[in-house]
Amino acid sequence: MITTVPIKNEKDIAVPGKTVLVLGYFDGIHKGHQKLFEVASKASMKDYLPVVVMTFTESPKLALQPYQPELMLHIVNHEEREHKMKWHGVEALFLLDFSSKFASLTGQEFFDTYVRALKPAIIVAGFDYTFGSDKKTADDLKDYFDGEIIIVPPVEDKKGKISSTRIRQAILDGDVREVNHLLGTPLPTRGMVVHGNARGRTIGYPTANLVLRDRTYMPADGVYVVDVEVQRQRYRGMASVGKKCYFRWRRAAF
């Protein structure tokens, strides 16, 4: 498992030696994010340094914009995000709460307080990374750090830049095929089976009613082909997403 460290202040940060540090928010771990981790992993091989990530538990927009319920939603749940990071070579994840107090830090204060504590030999960030209340950009990192800085350009497909914004909109539109393309993996959802009205079984189609476990985006109302994992067994199924959501499945042929 990836090592996950919640950070309340810089005293919670303890690393034994130099690192390759990746900076960003990383909601969903789409193909653009994966490129950052790929670059970081390659850079780490020269001196066998661990790849570590510093990011946030929730969207920074919660502290920067008027509250909207959708700001509490994620593309994938926290466990899935950590699993995907580990798959792409991340060894440790340092999680910060993006509070109003944290948001007031200047770029210099953020760097001196948190980034230096992670002992980076190399810093990797996306081209659109920003930090500090004074809105410093990825290019400004050179003003604070004399080590190697790698700025990763956008990853694009025929429709343009791959981004979390595109993925969220595709989910809301019900375009799961597009979502899976942008993520590079199927969109996951977790739920707990609960009692319903048992109407499906009366017409020969017994179903399972699910209550979602996570604050994640759900596709637009409709019927979808899904893979269902129950007690580590995978099944091919059908899911109806709407006011009365249900799933029906059979053992998959793979």
Side-chain angles (χ1 to χ4, degrees):
M1 289 294 291
I2 191 171
T3 300
T4 303
V5 183
I7 302 173
K8 296 300 180 184
N9 56 61
E10 69 276 15
K11 295 178 182 178
D12 295 326
I13 301 175
V15 293
K18 293 293 185 179
T19 67
V20 176
L21 174 61
V22 187
L23 298 171
Y25 175 44
F26 308 120
D27 187 17
I29 316 297
H30 55 63
K31 289 180 178 178
H33 298 150
Q34 293 166 25
K35 183 64 175 180
L36 267 72
F37 302 141
E38 176 186 320
V39 168
S41 293
K42 184 176 181 180
S44 73
M45 292 178 182
K46 180 181 177 181
D47 295 314
Y48 301 99
L49 300 175
V51 176
V52 304
V53 171
M54 181 163 57
T55 189
F56 308 104
T57 53
E58 303 292 344
S59 171
K61 293 179 180 179
L62 278 167
L64 301 174
Q65 297 181 5
Y67 174 75
Q68 301 174 57
E70 57 266 28
L71 293 179
M72 294 295 294
L73 299 178
H74 302 276
I75 294 173
V76 300
N77 63 69
H78 290 306
E79 288 83 355
E80 180 70 14
R81 181 170 73 158
E82 293 179 15
H83 172 75
K84 293 180 76 171
M85 283 186 180
K86 180 172 178 57
W87 180 260
H88 290 284
V90 177
E91 296 183 36
L93 173 62
F94 293 85
L95 287 172
L96 284 159
D97 289 327
F98 198 99
S99 63
S100 56
K101 180 180 179 181
F102 180 87
S104 69
L105 296 176
T106 65
Q108 185 75 65
E109 290 168 336
F110 166 68
F111 199 91
D112 289 344
T113 304
Y114 293 98
V115 176
R116 292 194 190 282
L118 288 165
K119 302 178 184 177
I122 302 170
I123 293 178
V124 179
F127 73 102
D128 55 354
Y129 177 71
T130 60
F131 62 102
S133 58
D134 42 356
K135 296 181 173 57
K136 297 298 182 179
T137 68
D139 288 334
D140 292 321
L141 286 168
K142 65 181 182 296
D143 296 333
Y144 308 103
F145 184 63
D146 56 7
E148 183 178 358
I149 300 170
I150 304 175
I151 307 300
V152 180
V155 175
E156 299 180 335
D157 62 10
K158 61 183 179 180
K159 294 181 181 179
K161 184 185 76 170
I162 294 176
S163 67
S164 297
T165 299
R166 273 184 66 186
I167 295 170
R168 294 186 194 101
Q169 189 57 56
I171 296 173
L172 295 175
D173 292 341
D175 191 352
V176 178
R177 187 186 301 273
E178 175 75 354
V179 174
N180 294 348
H181 159 66
L182 298 173
L183 288 176
T185 54
L187 177 68
T189 298
R190 301 190 301 182
M192 180 176 66
V193 178
V194 297
H195 283 292
N197 294 323
R199 291 176 181 170
R201 71 183 63 178
T202 65
I203 57 174
Y205 290 91
T207 60
N209 298 275
L210 298 185
V211 172
L212 299 183
R213 287 180 53 187
D214 307 297
R215 291 183 282 107
T216 53
Y217 285 89
M218 284 294 290
D221 290 1
V223 179
Y224 299 87
V225 175
V226 296
D227 289 334
V228 183
E229 186 174 308
V230 182
Q231 296 180 343
R232 297 187 179 182
Q233 292 290 321
R234 181 179 281 189
Y235 306 85
R236 177 53 54 88
M238 176 188 75
S240 174
V241 178
K243 293 182 180 178
K244 293 186 177 180
C245 301
Y246 63 82
F247 291 75
R248 183 172 187 268
W249 62 80
R250 62 180 174 80
R251 189 178 298 277
F254 53 84

